[in-house]
Amino acid sequence: MRAGTSALAWYERGLALEGTDAGAAILAYQRALAGRPDLADAHNNLGRLYHDRGELAAAESCYRLALCASRRVPLYWFNLGVALEDLQRYSEALAAYEQSIALDQAVSDVHHNIARLLEQLARKSGDDDMLRLAVRHLARYRALMRRLG
């Protein structure tokens, strides 16, 4: 792409490259963000690509930057939660997941992740209240999945 390419054009290029060349997609998103640091989706997508590569600290940073640009997108909170969970920062992961479902109760994957994480923590600690909360999230997950069909 030539000099003077808009940030949105770089973002679109990143989207197009994700399936075929993750490295080039990363560079395209970086170029987009150099021109428009407020492109929350570019931060999120860049974070996901880093996450896929196992670069968890970089992914966390990108997800947090996405949230700085737009705090009301449940997906950004969910992705942050997954990264924090992978970093074994479980209480922070739960807080991020809770932010996600506070914005949209119908995101089934969030309920699934909360249920799974709470169950693991409850079994380690013997906390029956935490286990009951895990069961409630699992029930919500199953209900949402039945609705999807």
Side-chain angles (χ1 to χ4, degrees):
M1 298 183 81
R2 68 183 195 286
T5 302
S6 75
L8 291 176
W10 281 110
Y11 171 76
E12 293 293 329
R13 182 164 172 77
L15 286 174
L17 288 166
E18 276 195 34
T20 58
D21 188 346
I26 287 171
L27 293 174
Y29 287 135
Q30 290 171 337
R31 292 286 303 264
L33 291 166
R36 289 270 315 272
D38 65 329
L39 283 175
D41 281 342
H43 285 293
N44 184 66
N45 292 357
L46 184 58
R48 191 175 25 76
L49 291 170
Y50 283 138
H51 201 151
D52 289 345
R53 293 168 77 154
E55 299 176 37
L56 299 177
E60 176 191 359
S61 178
C62 289
Y63 296 144
R64 289 188 185 281
L65 287 168
L67 286 164
C68 287
S70 184
R71 298 191 67 76
R72 302 208 41 86
V73 178
L75 177 63
Y76 302 164
W77 287 106
F78 175 75
N79 287 345
L80 176 61
V82 173
L84 292 168
E85 191 173 346
D86 289 347
L87 287 163
Q88 299 181 355
R89 291 164 41 200
Y90 303 123
S91 61
E92 291 176 74
L94 284 170
Y97 290 146
E98 292 291 341
Q99 286 291 327
S100 182
I101 61 171
L103 294 168
D104 186 351
Q105 285 284 319
V107 181
S108 61
D109 288 343
V110 181
H111 289 284
H112 178 270
N113 284 20
I114 291 173
R116 182 185 37 73
L117 183 53
L118 284 174
E119 179 185 12
Q120 290 171 359
L121 295 173
R123 292 205 187 282
K124 285 181 185 175
S125 67
D127 186 331
D128 289 338
D129 290 333
M130 189 181 293
L131 192 55
R132 279 189 282 280
L133 183 56
V135 169
R136 282 197 295 270
H137 279 284
L138 184 59
R140 179 72 174 142
Y141 166 74
R142 289 180 175 157
L144 289 167
M145 293 307 292
R146 275 193 302 275
R147 232 187 283 161
L148 292 174

